Amino acid sequence: SSTEKPVLLNDIADAKAFVSGAEVAVIGFFQDAQSPEAEQFRLAAAQVPEVPFGLSSSAAVLSHYGASANTVVLFRRVDNDRRDLDMNNREVDAKKLTRFIRMNELRLVTEYDPVTAIGVMQSSLQFNLLLITDKMSPKHPERMRKFRAAAELYKGKILFILLDSNLKSNERVLSYFQLKKSQLPALAVFHTPDDEHDVLTVNEISIERVQDFCNRFLQ
């Protein structure tokens, strides 16, 4: 993209539009836009091209968000949540900042791929529920709608993940759960600390079926 990253946010209206325009957005609040911390922020922005980065040194914008100077804030629209990282600690560099974003950029339903895998692995949530399905299927939008609705019920408990069976890089996951493409769509629930898991092949996704499957496993 030829767009300059990060985007300069000069006033509250700019910042509000920036945050509401993305499912995940990151703003660096710096009194001095040329400080070493701001430079590390720019380096991190280049590392994470799919997440929009904004930068503001406006006192009004900092005050509006209750952010202190040299703070990076990640906004998640999906659960109206935010995560703050204090960059006054000199040990926070572009690498740590990138990791902070990867850990916290999770969506209500996170699509699994080699990039998001990092965030999934580093999530504090110990339960993952995968919907393993063909994204090209005409039934996909409806499946996703129901899967997303079910995800709302388990916010903060289970990380909901979409796994596209068409991606070559995902074949490993299918073989781990001993699934063939002919058995899809399928739900797979996984407890990360001990690798315990369960698999359910489903003709169709329903919120009730997802709930039943999750609750049985959690119990």
Side-chain angles (χ1 to χ4, degrees), residues 1 4 29 31 38 40 64 68 76 97 113 129 144 149 152 166 169 175 183 197-198 212 215-216:
S1 148
E4 187 65 30
F29 297 97
Q31 264 172 337
Q40 291 298 313
H64 176 78
S68 49
R76 287 198 300 237
L97 183 51
D113 61 36
L129 179 71
M144 273 304 289
E152 287 277 4
N166 292 314
S169 57
S175 64
Q183 294 173 289
H197 60 273
D198 194 10
D212 182 51
N215 292 345
R216 276 209 322 270

Side-chain angles (χ1 to χ4, degrees), residues 10-187:
N10 298 315
D11 54 41
I12 294 169
D14 280 357
K16 281 182 165 178
F18 180 78
V19 170
S20 66
E23 200 171 347
V24 175
V26 175
I27 300 181
F29 297 97
F30 299 103
Q31 264 172 337
D32 176 7
Q34 305 308 319
S35 68
E37 292 85 2
E39 190 49 45
Q40 291 298 313
F41 180 73
R42 288 189 183 88
L43 289 172
Q47 298 289 316
V48 193
E50 68 279 18
V51 175
F53 278 63
L55 189 150
S56 188
S57 5
S58 150
V61 176
L62 267 74
S63 168
H64 176 78
Y65 286 104
S68 49
N70 291 342
T71 301
V72 173
V73 181
L74 179 143
F75 297 89
R76 287 198 300 237
R77 195 203 299 172
V78 77
D79 50 5
N80 200 24
D81 201 358
R82 64 183 259 184
R83 294 280 184 272
D84 293 38
L85 180 68
D86 181 1
M87 288 200 71
N88 287 305
N89 178 343
R90 293 288 172 184
E91 289 179 6
V92 177
D93 57 8
K95 189 177 175 185
K96 287 194 174 155
L97 183 51
T98 303
R99 183 171 183 269
F100 165 78
I101 291 158
R102 283 280 180 253
M103 282 171 66
N104 292 292
E105 69 163 324
L106 304 171
R107 276 84 167 152
L108 189 59
V109 174
T110 300
E111 183 166 352
Y112 189 89
D113 61 36
V115 175
T116 59
I118 303 163
V120 168
M121 302 294 182
Q122 291 174 351
S123 164
S124 61
L125 296 180
Q126 296 189 334
F127 292 95
N128 295 342
L129 179 71
L130 284 74
L131 169 59
I132 305 171
T133 187
D134 173 5
K135 269 179 76 180
M136 304 304 287
S137 163
K139 293 179 177 176
H140 180 69
E142 182 60 16
R143 283 175 190 154
M144 273 304 289
R145 190 184 67 73
K146 289 174 179 166
F147 194 59
R148 191 175 282 271
E152 287 277 4
L153 307 172
Y154 293 94
K155 269 193 303 210
K157 286 186 193 161
I158 299 176
L159 189 60
F160 274 57
I161 299 162
L162 168 68
L163 193 115
D164 183 8
S165 56
N166 292 314
L167 278 186
K168 192 131 185 73
S169 57
N170 287 337
E171 284 174 5
R172 218 163 33 88
V173 182
L174 262 76
S175 64
Y176 176 83
F177 289 116
Q178 298 182 323
L179 283 166
K180 298 185 177 73
K181 284 194 176 181
S182 58
Q183 294 173 289
L184 302 179
L187 294 168

